[in-house]
Amino acid sequence: MLKTRVPKTEILQKTREQGLVSLDMVEAVVIENNGKISILKKSENQEVKVLEDVTIIE
């Protein structure tokens, strides 16, 4: 799998579209198979099961 370079400005835009005002409020940023970006909000009560099949690239 190749690393994908996504401009920080694009991530910030998607974050704002979700109503979040800070990256501290983001659990994960996922590039979906269709190329779209999904922003997962942090939540104290949420289990992160939706990330089970996600490959983490650092």
Side-chain angles (χ1 to χ4, degrees), residues 23-56:
L23 290 178
D24 291 334
M25 301 172 74
V26 174
E27 179 71 34
V29 177
V30 179
I31 300 174
E32 303 291 352
N33 289 335
N34 61 6
K36 292 186 178 185
I37 296 174
S38 294
I39 303 293
L40 300 176
K41 301 174 190 177
K42 279 187 183 176
S43 173
E44 293 179 16
N45 301 328
Q46 175 184 354
E47 293 185 39
V48 192
K49 289 185 178 183
V50 295
L51 294 176
E52 288 178 354
D53 65 341
V54 174
T55 302
I56 298 174

